[in-house]
Amino acid sequence: MTEVTTNEPDALALEDVGKRFGSVIALQDVSMRVPKRQVTCVLGDNGAGKSTLIKILSGVHTPTEGQMFVDGKPTTFNSPREALDNGIATVYQDLATVPLMAVWRNFYLGNEPTKGFWPFRGLRTKYAKESCKAEMAQMGIDIRDPEQPVGTLSGGERQAVSIARAVHFGANVLILDEPTSALGVKQSGVVLKHIRTAAESGVSVVFITHNPHHAYLVGDNFYLLNRGRMLAEYTKDTVSREELVKAMAGGAELDALAHELGAET
Amino acid sequence: MSTTTAVDDRVATTSSLTRIMRRPEIGAFMGALVVYIFFALVDQTGTFFSLDGTARWTDVASTYGIIAVAVAMLMIGGEFDLSSGVMIGSSGLFAGLLITEYNIAVWPAILMTFVFAAGIGFTNGWLVVTTGLPSFIVTLAMFFSLRGINLGVTKVLTDTVRVAGVDEAPDGGIRAGYESAEAVFASALTQYNFRIAVVWWIVLTIIATLVLTRTKFGNWIYAVGGDANAARNVGVPVRRTKIILFMYVSMSSCLVGIISLMRLKSMQAGQGVTQEFIFIIAAVVGGCLLTGGYGSAIGGTIGAAIIGMAFIGIAYAQWNTDWTWLFLGLILFAAVFTNSLIRRRFQGARR
């Protein structure tokens, strides 16, 4: 791995991590660093091992080999809850919000603000609605009515709700699983802006995507994952967008195809 | 609803009409008004509109409503319970047999029956969340098992298919505790014969509504029914939430079982069977989505009220009561159809 360039420990790091499911090797010798307050992109095509990597980082899977470090300390997660308690929040592509529920109910889901004593402990509905609105406004999204179901928001706004929620509840590390893959061009732009905002506000972001164009726009560091291995590692200063796209596609002859594949779906 | 208020709530402020129309139970509420006026008009006896008539239909509606509210909560949580009807019989028989065959005092027997019902509900819920099988199948199996047990055990212990004489002590007097239990579960409140079950119904509806809209647990119920994966990802205890809901349904069936046992002083082995669908109809008429994640507790109550009005109203109209089932079928379809129209128009929610 590359030398540590600052004294500050990385928010998250993996060293020679591997994961086997029976005889299937899903990940092998994966090392990566997620420096604080930066956007670290993990690029990979379908089947590259992105999902397994996310699940290791978010505590769903425990790696079979190697070691994970949180804030420089060796750490093992046995459940997503443990990862959350360590300030690592994951926003899954489609599984982040409940469409039929009001925006404010989604925002506070799992962290509901309450008052009073059991059995009279109630939700602080008025506070929750107002602070949800304020929090979303900070992300640049005007929720006129926090009572409206999340299903009525656009895809980009829904991702923003998830990101705002994770940041609000004290996430130090934010893992984003393909946040732009289901979105249109404009909405992707909105989400990319939120990713940048989150990083600038002090959050370390892991941005997992198959789209090198999106990654290049917001990323500080880039990791290329293929067939369960870390193929390459770049920083923003050492790579151009064209190089990144080419590397991602695995060759010049795939360049054209990569643009097509990387285009909006 | 006027056409001028068809507001796109994503880009404009929400009008108060849209706010009201967005309530899940609004269709059922308007339907209940229509049904009430309809039966008041076709009434041949002149009693439907009176306090006597109101006491009759609220009596029917209350025993349906107590369970329908629980079934609505469970449906919002994304699950079904087909054993909710047969549990009325199981609980009544369980308490009745403890009292008559084992001479256990009335109140301890009632307490033990609620524990038993909680256990059945826990079993339903635990099996659903552990096996991952649809609750439709798991509770259908529970339904048939309990139906068999109800008949089998009752026959073995009493040589008949009913438990009788809950109020009679072995020495011929009134059994200790029966009178107080009867007062709590089955007494008539007024000269018009309003039953205390109506109070249970209203109180449980209020509590369920508060839990659903004003507590953390209520938020979890909507979340596990709307998207269990999303809920799990943000740390909601999905399994626990579902199991508690199943327990609540079984215990509300148990309450109705105790109410009928105290009222009739006896219990048939087949009691409650076929009623499970009435509760589901009430919940769905009340605006609950079959797929979960949407609905209200008061919707189940309004649905039960409509069904109560239908049962009594058809009798007062002096029609053959066989037509009740046709009416239920039609009202179910009409309610679900209008609910989905309203939802599409005012909610814009997908699904």
Side-chain angles (χ1 to χ4, degrees), chain B residues 152-219:
Chain B
V153 172
T154 311
K155 273 187 184 165
V156 167
L157 290 177
T158 68
D159 288 326
T160 64
V161 289
R162 66 194 287 260
V163 176
V166 172
D167 55 331
E168 295 158 13
D171 59 10
I174 289 180
R175 201 179 284 273
Y178 173 76
E179 281 180 317
S180 58
E182 203 262 355
V184 170
F185 293 108
S187 54
L189 291 176
T190 63
Q191 61 201 359
Y192 302 106
N193 258 331
F194 277 98
R195 296 291 193 142
I196 200 164
V198 176
V199 177
W200 281 100
W201 176 34
I202 294 169
V203 169
L204 286 172
T205 304
I206 293 170
I207 294 175
T209 301
L210 287 176
V211 166
L212 205 51
T213 57
R214 296 289 153 136
T215 69
K216 195 188 251 204
F217 187 70
N219 216 26

Side-chain angles (χ1 to χ4, degrees), chain A residues 81 84 92 95-98 100-101 105 109-110 112 114 121-123 125 144-145 147-149 151-153 158 165, chain B residues 9-11 14 22 213-216 219-220 222-223 226-227 230 233-236 289 292-293 347-350:
Chain A
R81 192 79 238 182
L84 274 173
Y92 293 93
L95 309 173
T97 54
V98 183
L100 283 167
M101 283 172 82
R105 284 184 179 274
L109 187 57
E112 292 85 353
T114 55
R121 192 187 296 139
L123 283 183
T125 47
R144 284 159 192 85
D145 178 11
E147 230 16 289
Q148 79 185 79
T152 61
L153 299 178
R158 256 182 277 179
R165 174 172 66 189
Chain B
D9 52 32
R10 194 164 93 188
V11 294
T14 320
R22 233 189 228 169
T213 57
R214 296 289 153 136
T215 69
K216 195 188 251 204
N219 216 26
W220 293 352
Y222 280 112
D227 190 333
N233 285 339
V234 294
V236 172
L289 269 189
Q347 187 104 33
R350 304 176 186 174

Side-chain angles (χ1 to χ4, degrees), chain B residues 13 17 23 39 44 84-85 103 119 128 144 153 180 194 229 254 261 264 274 292 330 349:
Chain B
T13 49
L17 179 67
R23 299 289 314 154
F39 281 116
Q44 300 289 313
S84 58
N103 274 314
V128 167
F144 275 89
V153 172
S180 58
F194 277 98
N229 269 323
C254 175
L261 183 71
L264 307 171
T274 71
L330 293 178

Side-chain angles (χ1 to χ4, degrees), chain B residues 67-102:
Chain B
I67 305 176
V69 168
V71 167
M73 299 269 270
L74 179 66
M75 201 179 283
I76 295 168
E79 304 291 346
F80 284 106
D81 187 354
L82 294 180
S83 68
S84 58
V86 75
M87 263 309 287
I88 299 172
S90 298
S91 315
L93 293 167
F94 189 88
L97 289 171
L98 286 180
I99 294 167
T100 58
E101 296 292 319
Y102 298 97

Side-chain angles (χ1 to χ4, degrees), chain A residues 108-171:
Chain A
Y108 283 100
L109 187 57
N111 290 292
E112 292 85 353
T114 55
K115 62 180 172 204
F117 300 97
W118 197 89
F120 303 107
R121 192 187 296 139
L123 283 183
R124 299 172 64 194
T125 47
K126 193 161 175 268
Y127 159 81
K129 281 177 211 173
E130 280 165 7
S131 65
C132 163
K133 198 173 148 80
E135 204 66 35
M136 291 301 290
Q138 226 162 37
M139 294 281 292
I141 289 184
D142 183 16
I143 300 288
R144 284 159 192 85
D145 178 11
E147 230 16 289
Q148 79 185 79
V150 159
T152 61
L153 299 178
S154 70
E157 287 171 327
R158 256 182 277 179
Q159 288 286 352
V161 171
S162 311
I163 295 171
R165 174 172 66 189
V167 173
H168 177 78
F169 290 109

